[in-house]
Amino acid sequence: MKIIRSGILIDSIHEYVMENYSILIEGSRIKAVLPTEAVQVSPEDEVIDATAYTVIPGMVDCHTHVHVEGGLSDYELDKITHSQADLAFRASANARKDLEAGFTTIRCLDAPFYVDVALRNAINAGLVIGPRMRTAGQGICVTGGHMDKASVVPEVMVWGRTGVGDGPWGCRRAAREQLKRGADTLKVNAAGGSHDLSEPYRQEMSYEEMAAVCEEARWAKVRVAAHAHGGQGITDGIRAGLNSIEHAPWLSDEQTKMMAEKGVFYVPTLTTHTQGLAYGKERTGSSEGGWNWILKVCDDRWVSLERAHKAGVKVCVGTDAGFWAYHGKNAMELEELVNGGYSPMEAIIAATRNGAECLDMDKDIGTIEAGKLADLVFVKGNPLTDVSILQRKENIVRVYKGGEEI
Ligand SMILES: [Zn+2]
């Protein structure tokens, strides 16, 4: 048995600090969490001294794209200028960066050519080192929607980029295709952005289309995440059975109330927008309209977040790593949540327990308690005093996945 003696323990169940507790690990799972003085150590036990650190559960990034590293890489163009093998190797390296940053679980919400599915399978088979993964395969999108923009001439057809479907049967078919290829999550593009700043969002999928995808998801026992900025598309999507709303800088009071009632998670992806803002108009290659839209997102998103907070919506950490946000810098999102009025403890809960629930993995991960997988992070310093310490590599002293140090 491994016995980890912690200094400060944040188990993500009790929303306060626990001092001088020990975590007993047998195989890949936690056997017990006990006050250190109550633990009987036998000679064959391996005692690990973490009394100088804060121990937290492995974190969860609910929104990534593994095939791109983030920054100014071109999300769309990369899919046609890089071979599938290139993207697969890159995906492996990116996911490993997330793991080393203390994110023992990630969800990939769209990657081309099923590189995310292949990566998850390789990680689960022990072929490569990486985090636990939920994978959506290709994002499902209507013709001309957010993930099916006219970025290439009609004569150029690239297979494997987006699951395009129109009408309930077309979308149902696109969902079935993802499930057939091994997706264990579905991603839909419910409502994209609009440069008309009086209404900066535009519904793309109808209620019937989203309901068809959600029904397939229920039958397959997987969750549906939706790219959605605001407006009726979100209301229709919540009614249709979506499980998480991604981005959404324009949630209304009515919508946050519905989300809280129905247990729909909110993944605000604050990091990616902050990163875009930091790069600026020229470097992001934004048009005048596109840039004004980003500025509006960055102004308005805090209201949306506050509404969600007040309504009691479960907020999760999702960075959109791969698109502007970097893999390995995932903990930036916790600082953003604190900037938006959340306490550091709430941000840690968002990054652990809420993320696990959002991914329907809370039977196994998200908290430090008996029966769960021993996914743990040793942190130098106390993230409750300064949550930004989680972003620095030197403070992520050790990461355990399933009881094994990575
Ligand atoms: Zn995304």
Side-chain angles (χ1 to χ4, degrees):
M1 199 158 60
K2 284 192 182 98
I3 299 170
I4 294 175
R5 286 189 176 142
S6 69
I8 297 171
L9 174 68
I10 297 170
D11 65 1
S12 287
I13 309 166
H14 306 95
E15 297 186 8
Y16 53 81
V17 154
M18 297 156 76
E19 285 182 70
N20 300 315
Y21 270 76
S22 288
I23 304 159
L24 282 57
I25 302 168
E26 204 161 55
S28 61
R29 292 193 183 258
I30 297 165
K31 197 177 171 214
V33 181
L34 297 168
T36 294
E37 74 261 16
V39 176
Q40 306 253 319
V41 181
S42 51
E44 60 272 20
D45 292 333
E46 180 193 350
V47 178
I48 299 151
D49 182 12
T51 50
Y53 308 121
T54 304
V55 179
I56 65 169
M59 292 180 280
V60 182
D61 191 331
C62 293
H63 193 131
T64 71
H65 301 280
V66 286
H67 63 291
V68 262
E69 52 241 338
L72 294 164
S73 52
D74 193 314
Y75 188 87
E76 280 307 312
L77 211 59
D78 262 26
K79 293 180 179 176
I80 52 174
T81 54
H82 288 71
S83 73
Q84 297 173 30
D86 283 335
L87 295 176
F89 276 106
R90 236 167 45 177
S92 175
N94 289 336
R96 186 162 181 169
K97 280 186 205 161
D98 298 337
L99 175 64
E100 287 170 354
F103 284 77
T104 48
T105 303
I106 64 169
R107 179 168 68 168
C108 181
L109 291 181
D110 179 69
F113 316 116
Y114 302 104
V115 295
D116 54 343
V117 174
L119 177 60
R120 180 204 62 200
N121 293 347
I123 291 168
N124 289 349
L127 302 176
V128 295
I129 295 167
R132 302 179 197 286
M133 282 183 72
R134 286 281 194 219
T135 56
Q138 301 163 350
I140 298 168
C141 185
V142 296
T143 298
H146 174 69
M147 283 192 164
D148 187 47
K149 296 199 181 97
S151 47
V152 290
V153 295
E155 292 75 16
V156 178
M157 280 285 292
V158 184
W159 175 86
R161 290 191 303 157
T162 306
V164 175
D166 291 298
W169 288 105
C171 291
R172 194 181 282 274
R173 189 194 161 94
R176 287 176 179 172
E177 184 69 30
Q178 306 316 311
L179 296 167
K180 172 183 169 183
R181 298 290 166 197
D184 54 21
T185 291
L186 295 173
K187 155 86 172 272
V188 296
N189 290 277
S194 164
H195 292 179
D196 170 5
L197 296 189
S198 66
E199 200 174 88
Y201 38 78
R202 175 180 184 274
Q203 184 159 357
E204 294 178 4
M205 292 179 83
S206 67
Y207 168 80
E208 289 77 12
E209 288 170 324
M210 290 187 274
V213 173
C214 290
E215 189 172 58
E216 287 295 327
R218 274 201 308 281
W219 291 344
K221 296 192 168 58
V222 304
R223 298 269 170 104
V224 186
H227 174 109
H229 289 294
Q232 188 62 31
I234 292 183
T235 309
D236 285 354
I238 297 168
R239 282 177 46 233
L242 296 175
N243 302 108
S244 69
I245 304 290
E246 314 288 313
H247 316 303
W250 296 292
L251 287 174
S252 68
D253 282 322
E254 184 203 5
Q255 288 164 347
T256 51
K257 192 166 165 268
M258 284 172 79
M259 288 169 76
E261 277 168 13
K262 287 176 171 275
V264 177
F265 295 87
Y266 179 34
V267 188
T269 66
L270 304 159
T271 304
T272 195
H273 297 133
T274 299
Q275 286 287 92
L277 197 64
Y279 297 137
K281 179 172 177 283
E282 276 72 37
R283 290 174 72 209
T284 53
S286 301
S287 64
E288 196 66 33
W291 185 246
N292 289 336
W293 184 83
I294 290 166
L295 293 176
K296 187 162 176 60
V297 168
C298 288
D299 276 350
D300 294 354
R301 58 186 172 160
W302 305 114
V303 178
S304 207
L305 190 65
E306 203 185 325
R307 282 187 178 136
H309 198 182
K310 276 201 188 131
V313 176
K314 285 188 179 169
V315 169
C316 306
V317 159
T319 54
D320 217 350
F323 182 76
W324 288 347
Y326 286 102
H327 289 279
K329 297 269 184 200
N330 318 60
M332 282 176 74
E333 189 73 9
L334 285 89
E335 189 183 1
E336 293 288 354
L337 287 175
V338 171
N339 291 340
Y342 284 68
S343 70
M345 182 61 93
E346 286 175 315
I348 291 169
I349 299 287
T352 54
R353 190 174 78 201
N354 290 359
E357 287 178 11
C358 177
L359 272 51
D360 196 18
M361 294 174 81
D362 51 307
K363 274 198 207 82
D364 288 319
I365 61 160
T367 54
I368 300 175
E369 63 181 306
K372 294 225 176 162
L373 290 162
D375 289 3
L376 310 166
V377 186
F378 294 3
V379 181
K380 195 167 139 193
N382 185 349
L384 296 179
T385 328
D386 176 9
V387 85
S388 75
I389 64 167
L390 293 168
Q391 295 165 35
R392 288 186 288 282
K393 218 176 165 177
E394 64 271 20
N395 295 331
I396 305 299
V397 179
R398 219 183 262 198
V399 178
Y400 285 88
K401 182 186 161 200
E404 296 295 327
E405 188 183 350
I406 62 130

mmCIF file of all heavy atoms in Angstrom, residues 202-217:
data_model
loop_
_atom_site.group_PDB
_atom_site.id
_atom_site.type_symbol
_atom_site.label_atom_id
_atom_site.label_comp_id
_atom_site.label_asym_id
_atom_site.label_seq_id
_atom_site.Cartn_x
_atom_site.Cartn_y
_atom_site.Cartn_z
ATOM 1 N N ARG A 202 -25.859 33.593 -33.285
ATOM 2 C CA ARG A 202 -26.770 33.174 -34.342
ATOM 3 C C ARG A 202 -27.061 31.692 -34.165
ATOM 4 O O ARG A 202 -26.135 30.880 -34.088
ATOM 5 C CB ARG A 202 -26.073 33.407 -35.689
ATOM 6 C CG ARG A 202 -26.819 32.910 -36.903
ATOM 7 C CD ARG A 202 -25.987 33.229 -38.145
ATOM 8 N NE ARG A 202 -26.660 32.867 -39.372
ATOM 9 C CZ ARG A 202 -26.631 31.655 -39.924
ATOM 10 N NH1 ARG A 202 -25.952 30.682 -39.356
ATOM 11 N NH2 ARG A 202 -27.268 31.419 -41.059
ATOM 12 N N GLN A 203 -28.321 31.355 -34.074
ATOM 13 C CA GLN A 203 -28.692 29.942 -33.926
ATOM 14 C C GLN A 203 -28.330 29.193 -35.212
ATOM 15 O O GLN A 203 -28.551 29.685 -36.315
ATOM 16 C CB GLN A 203 -30.197 29.811 -33.638
ATOM 17 C CG GLN A 203 -30.602 28.366 -33.369
ATOM 18 C CD GLN A 203 -31.900 28.234 -32.602
ATOM 19 O OE1 GLN A 203 -32.490 29.251 -32.201
ATOM 20 N NE2 GLN A 203 -32.342 27.008 -32.385
ATOM 21 N N GLU A 204 -27.771 28.007 -35.058
ATOM 22 C CA GLU A 204 -27.397 27.205 -36.227
ATOM 23 C C GLU A 204 -28.194 25.910 -36.297
ATOM 24 O O GLU A 204 -28.551 25.452 -37.372
ATOM 25 C CB GLU A 204 -25.892 26.894 -36.197
ATOM 26 C CG GLU A 204 -25.045 28.144 -36.356
ATOM 27 C CD GLU A 204 -23.563 27.872 -36.282
ATOM 28 O OE1 GLU A 204 -23.154 26.701 -36.175
ATOM 29 O OE2 GLU A 204 -22.800 28.850 -36.311
ATOM 30 N N MET A 205 -28.399 25.288 -35.151
ATOM 31 C CA MET A 205 -29.142 24.028 -35.143
ATOM 32 C C MET A 205 -30.542 24.274 -34.593
ATOM 33 O O MET A 205 -30.717 25.033 -33.637
ATOM 34 C CB MET A 205 -28.429 22.980 -34.286
ATOM 35 C CG MET A 205 -27.107 22.527 -34.891
ATOM 36 S SD MET A 205 -26.275 21.309 -33.844
ATOM 37 C CE MET A 205 -27.087 19.796 -34.334
ATOM 38 N N SER A 206 -31.503 23.609 -35.193
ATOM 39 C CA SER A 206 -32.872 23.738 -34.708
ATOM 40 C C SER A 206 -33.070 22.857 -33.478
ATOM 41 O O SER A 206 -32.265 21.943 -33.203
ATOM 42 C CB SER A 206 -33.852 23.303 -35.801
ATOM 43 O OG SER A 206 -33.711 21.910 -36.022
ATOM 44 N N TYR A 207 -34.168 23.102 -32.779
ATOM 45 C CA TYR A 207 -34.506 22.255 -31.639
ATOM 46 C C TYR A 207 -34.544 20.784 -32.067
ATOM 47 O O TYR A 207 -33.990 19.909 -31.399
ATOM 48 C CB TYR A 207 -35.869 22.681 -31.055
ATOM 49 C CG TYR A 207 -36.402 21.684 -30.068
ATOM 50 C CD1 TYR A 207 -35.938 21.668 -28.756
ATOM 51 C CD2 TYR A 207 -37.334 20.715 -30.469
ATOM 52 C CE1 TYR A 207 -36.393 20.726 -27.859
ATOM 53 C CE2 TYR A 207 -37.787 19.761 -29.571
ATOM 54 C CZ TYR A 207 -37.323 19.768 -28.270
ATOM 55 O OH TYR A 207 -37.758 18.824 -27.378
ATOM 56 N N GLU A 208 -35.188 20.523 -33.209
ATOM 57 C CA GLU A 208 -35.359 19.137 -33.670
ATOM 58 C C GLU A 208 -34.007 18.481 -33.949
ATOM 59 O O GLU A 208 -33.809 17.298 -33.654
ATOM 60 C CB GLU A 208 -36.228 19.090 -34.928
ATOM 61 C CG GLU A 208 -37.699 19.398 -34.704
ATOM 62 C CD GLU A 208 -37.983 20.893 -34.516
ATOM 63 O OE1 GLU A 208 -37.090 21.731 -34.786
ATOM 64 O OE2 GLU A 208 -39.102 21.211 -34.071
ATOM 65 N N GLU A 209 -33.084 19.246 -34.529
ATOM 66 C CA GLU A 209 -31.748 18.693 -34.826
ATOM 67 C C GLU A 209 -31.006 18.339 -33.538
ATOM 68 O O GLU A 209 -30.409 17.263 -33.416
ATOM 69 C CB GLU A 209 -30.946 19.698 -35.667
ATOM 70 C CG GLU A 209 -31.458 19.789 -37.105
ATOM 71 C CD GLU A 209 -30.838 20.942 -37.889
ATOM 72 O OE1 GLU A 209 -30.583 22.011 -37.316
ATOM 73 O OE2 GLU A 209 -30.631 20.765 -39.107
ATOM 74 N N MET A 210 -31.058 19.253 -32.573
ATOM 75 C CA MET A 210 -30.357 18.990 -31.300
ATOM 76 C C MET A 210 -31.025 17.854 -30.530
ATOM 77 O O MET A 210 -30.339 17.013 -29.936
ATOM 78 C CB MET A 210 -30.299 20.258 -30.457
ATOM 79 C CG MET A 210 -29.372 21.297 -31.058
ATOM 80 S SD MET A 210 -29.121 22.723 -29.979
ATOM 81 C CE MET A 210 -30.512 23.749 -30.411
ATOM 82 N N ALA A 211 -32.362 17.820 -30.591
ATOM 83 C CA ALA A 211 -33.084 16.755 -29.873
ATOM 84 C C ALA A 211 -32.725 15.384 -30.454
ATOM 85 O O ALA A 211 -32.603 14.401 -29.707
ATOM 86 C CB ALA A 211 -34.588 16.999 -29.943
ATOM 87 N N ALA A 212 -32.527 15.318 -31.769
ATOM 88 C CA ALA A 212 -32.166 14.043 -32.408
ATOM 89 C C ALA A 212 -30.788 13.574 -31.913
ATOM 90 O O ALA A 212 -30.598 12.406 -31.574
ATOM 91 C CB ALA A 212 -32.162 14.199 -33.927
ATOM 92 N N VAL A 213 -29.831 14.511 -31.852
ATOM 93 C CA VAL A 213 -28.482 14.165 -31.372
ATOM 94 C C VAL A 213 -28.542 13.747 -29.899
ATOM 95 O O VAL A 213 -27.929 12.743 -29.497
ATOM 96 C CB VAL A 213 -27.501 15.354 -31.562
ATOM 97 C CG1 VAL A 213 -26.156 15.058 -30.904
ATOM 98 C CG2 VAL A 213 -27.316 15.672 -33.043
ATOM 99 N N CYS A 214 -29.308 14.495 -29.112
ATOM 100 C CA CYS A 214 -29.391 14.186 -27.679
ATOM 101 C C CYS A 214 -30.051 12.825 -27.442
ATOM 102 O O CYS A 214 -29.678 12.111 -26.499
ATOM 103 C CB CYS A 214 -30.151 15.285 -26.930
ATOM 104 S SG CYS A 214 -29.225 16.828 -26.836
ATOM 105 N N GLU A 215 -31.001 12.475 -28.288
ATOM 106 C CA GLU A 215 -31.627 11.159 -28.126
ATOM 107 C C GLU A 215 -30.619 10.040 -28.421
ATOM 108 O O GLU A 215 -30.517 9.066 -27.671
ATOM 109 C CB GLU A 215 -32.849 11.029 -29.036
ATOM 110 C CG GLU A 215 -33.639 9.761 -28.739
ATOM 111 C CD GLU A 215 -34.961 9.695 -29.490
ATOM 112 O OE1 GLU A 215 -34.945 9.746 -30.743
ATOM 113 O OE2 GLU A 215 -36.001 9.603 -28.820
ATOM 114 N N GLU A 216 -29.861 10.215 -29.498
ATOM 115 C CA GLU A 216 -28.815 9.226 -29.804
ATOM 116 C C GLU A 216 -27.830 9.106 -28.632
ATOM 117 O O GLU A 216 -27.394 8.015 -28.279
ATOM 118 C CB GLU A 216 -28.040 9.634 -31.065
ATOM 119 C CG GLU A 216 -28.802 9.456 -32.357
ATOM 120 C CD GLU A 216 -29.129 7.996 -32.685
ATOM 121 O OE1 GLU A 216 -28.332 7.103 -32.334
ATOM 122 O OE2 GLU A 216 -30.190 7.761 -33.289
ATOM 123 N N ALA A 217 -27.487 10.259 -28.068
ATOM 124 C CA ALA A 217 -26.530 10.284 -26.949
ATOM 125 C C ALA A 217 -27.092 9.523 -25.752
ATOM 126 O O ALA A 217 -26.375 8.762 -25.097
ATOM 127 C CB ALA A 217 -26.197 11.725 -26.575
#
